Amino acid sequence: MTIRILLLILFVSFNLSIDASAEVLLKAAYIRNHQLWMKEGDKEIQLTTDKYVSSPKWSKDGQYIAYLAGNENGEKTYLYIYDLKKKESYQPYPSIETSQIKWSPTSNQLAYNSGGVLSVTKTKNGRPHGFENVSLGVSDFEWFPNGKAFIVSSQSNLLPIGWEPVRLFKVPVDANLDTNKIKPFYTIQTNTPDLFAIDANYFKWSPDGSWVSFLLTPTASWSNDSNILGVLSSVGDHFQVIGKMLGYEKWIKWAPTRNQLAFISGEGRFFVVNKSTAVTEIPTLNKQKDYTPKGYVDLDLEWLSPDEIIVARAKENKAWKVGPVPTMFTALYVINLESGEQKQLTFPNNKIDNTPQVVGSTITWYRTSEKEDRGDVWIKDSMDAQEHRWLKNVDSPPTFFYKK
């Protein structure tokens, strides 16, 4: 009898531990009334009181939130870091003006681009402080997955014979402006009828680190209507053009476990037509597969699982030609890539659901309306769970911290 009771206790404890591990305690940084806030579980905390905040980003271990703060018009933004242990904001160095900040994938080191100068933070008393210059002439950048180097683009120049090619470089973190340490990584010949671009942006690594995707952008007016999505192998020896799309970083997503790339394809700056969810294997041998049904447009996406994608979808509007651009009332749909089945996930009822994010098994999205500047964050704990509001009256979608 005693043995049976012990086995029953062990069985119950085991199942409770599985259920507990399956639950994800949501933790997010977000902006409300221009100030930085954080929510963990059910507790909301205001972290700033006197700034115009944007672009919060979590450090790898979740101890720090880097963010930008500037004036009301957003003309100049400066780097700040919030330390959750010490409960204070600080500047790693006075007056670092930047609009690009990225944490290392392996440590609490922060990289930023200030006027074309790529720099990284040093460490003082165990936290990011000070800086060290890495490279000049930088347009955009991303860490290599090992945290030891950067892939860097440099915008091409217009010469009397035409535009230069777009050049990518591999830059060690410790380059310290030493050009002997900086190596050419790949040169994209772009001054051709089929491939014209003057810059490369939005670098994103595949889950196994063997490929990097990026957007090749032409001159400003042209890029409002069309850009070229490309991929490059991690050793810089294989480049492929994938498709054409608008210049939205969040419209490009790698699958969580496979070298599959999902993106929203289509040209034309207006959202009313010609925006389709496409998925392709990398390296690609066949034409991309489109999943948006006729008569609809997809305007956001997120991977739910290796075989499922969530999209923000609306009915297309071919009737619109001139006048104010019509609002696209998107709802969320789930696409099963294996079966081809598609079903509606949210029913916003004359509101707009966008920016789907998946945190563990939890699905989150941002819900707003046509005439509101702010919105609410809604969640479903699983596909079949009841939706409920998690954040109210926030300026933009939150940034979640999720330690895998």
Side-chain angles (χ1 to χ4, degrees):
M1 184 67 181
T2 303
I3 293 173
R4 288 182 178 178
I5 292 172
L6 286 172
L7 287 173
L8 180 61
I9 291 171
L10 287 171
F11 178 78
V12 172
S13 299
F14 178 73
N15 279 278
L16 285 174
S17 67
I18 290 176
D19 291 340
S21 64
E23 292 180 2
V24 176
L25 186 66
L26 290 182
K27 183 177 180 180
Y30 54 96
I31 299 165
R32 177 183 285 139
N33 296 323
H34 308 293
Q35 302 307 317
L36 181 64
W37 288 66
M38 185 187 81
K39 183 174 182 178
E40 186 171 9
D42 295 326
K43 186 178 181 182
E44 289 191 72
I45 306 171
Q46 184 171 349
L47 305 180
T48 66
T49 58
D50 58 352
K51 296 177 174 63
Y52 275 79
V53 174
S54 62
S55 304
K57 297 183 185 296
W58 289 97
S59 64
K60 177 179 171 56
D61 64 358
Q63 181 181 341
Y64 302 101
I65 305 171
Y67 63 94
L68 303 177
N71 58 27
E72 185 174 353
N73 298 322
E75 295 167 351
K76 292 183 178 182
T77 53
Y78 297 90
L79 173 61
Y80 288 81
I81 298 176
Y82 189 88
D83 186 334
L84 268 69
K85 285 186 178 179
K86 295 192 175 182
K87 298 181 180 180
E88 65 178 11
S89 281
Y90 71 97
Q91 290 183 285
Y93 190 82
S95 301
I96 295 175
E97 185 180 347
T98 180
S99 59
Q100 290 178 308
I101 54 175
K102 296 179 182 181
W103 287 102
S104 165
T106 60
S107 69
N108 285 342
Q109 189 172 35
L110 186 66
Y112 61 90
N113 184 355
S114 181
V117 181
L118 177 62
S119 302
V120 292
T121 55
K122 296 191 287 187
T123 302
K124 183 179 179 181
N125 298 326
R127 69 180 188 176
H129 197 278
F131 73 94
E132 185 174 85
N133 296 139
V134 178
S135 176
L136 305 176
V138 173
S139 176
D140 201 0
F141 71 94
E142 184 55 270
W143 293 84
F144 269 77
N146 62 10
K148 296 179 179 180
F150 299 98
I151 182 171
V152 160
S153 62
S154 188
Q155 185 172 316
S156 61
N157 296 305
L158 180 59
L159 307 178
I161 56 173
W163 287 94
E164 294 178 318
V166 173
R167 294 183 172 89
L168 307 180
F169 298 88
K170 187 173 183 179
V171 182
V173 174
D174 61 357
N176 199 21
L177 304 184
D178 183 351
T179 56
N180 292 318
K181 293 183 177 181
I182 299 171
K183 305 299 180 185
F185 192 62
Y186 194 80
T187 300
I188 305 167
Q189 302 296 334
T190 60
N191 199 3
T192 68
D194 296 328
L195 178 55
F196 173 65
I198 64 170
D199 209 350
N201 302 287
Y202 305 151
F203 296 100
K204 294 185 177 184
W205 290 97
S206 64
D208 67 356
S210 62
W211 294 90
V212 62
S213 65
F214 52 91
L215 210 56
L216 289 162
T217 57
T219 48
S221 180
W222 190 343
S223 69
N224 287 332
D225 287 303
S226 181
N227 303 270
I228 296 171
L229 177 62
V231 294
L232 179 66
S233 64
S234 61
V235 293
D237 64 353
H238 188 184
F239 168 74
Q240 283 190 308
V241 170
I242 302 303
K244 294 183 178 181
M245 60 177 295
L246 297 189
Y248 295 99
E249 181 179 9
K250 65 179 184 175
W251 284 13
I252 308 167
K253 299 281 178 69
W254 286 96
T257 57
R258 296 199 296 256
N259 288 345
Q260 267 186 319
L261 190 60
F263 65 103
I264 295 178
S265 68
E267 299 177 271
R269 68 188 64 187
F270 301 114
F271 293 170
V272 292
V273 294
N274 192 31
K275 305 295 177 286
S276 300
T277 296
V279 180
T280 186
E281 300 281 345
I282 304 297
T284 181
L285 300 176
N286 303 310
K287 185 180 178 182
Q288 69 197 39
K289 186 171 182 181
D290 293 334
Y291 289 90
T292 306
K294 187 177 180 180
Y296 290 86
V297 290
D298 288 345
L299 302 176
D300 215 336
L301 58 80
E302 174 71 309
W303 288 87
L304 175 61
S305 72
D307 299 317
E308 296 171 300
I309 293 176
I310 300 173
V311 298
R313 177 172 293 169
K315 290 183 178 180
E316 67 180 14
N317 189 340
K318 286 186 175 180
W320 177 81
K321 302 297 181 185
V322 295
V325 181
T327 299
M328 306 303 287
F329 289 91
T330 49
L332 301 189
Y333 289 74
V334 178
I335 304 170
N336 188 302
L337 304 183
E338 292 296 317
S339 67
E341 180 187 3
Q342 304 194 22
K343 62 180 180 180
Q344 190 166 347
L345 181 65
T346 69
F347 299 84
N349 191 23
N350 292 323
K351 289 186 177 288
I352 303 162
D353 283 354
N354 58 36
T355 319
Q357 298 184 71
V358 176
V359 186
S361 62
T362 303
I363 302 167
T364 84
W365 64 94
Y366 187 64
R367 177 171 289 173
T368 186
S369 68
E370 185 176 13
K371 297 181 180 180
E372 290 178 350
D373 294 329
R374 298 185 177 92
D376 301 332
V377 177
W378 288 71
I379 70 171
K380 287 168 70 78
D381 296 322
S382 66
M383 273 283 292
D384 300 321
Q386 183 69 34
E387 67 178 49
H388 60 278
R389 185 165 52 194
W390 192 69
L391 285 174
K392 190 175 181 179
N393 195 32
V394 294
D395 296 2
S396 55
T399 302
F400 288 96
F401 174 74
Y402 179 50
K403 198 166 186 177
K404 298 180 181 179

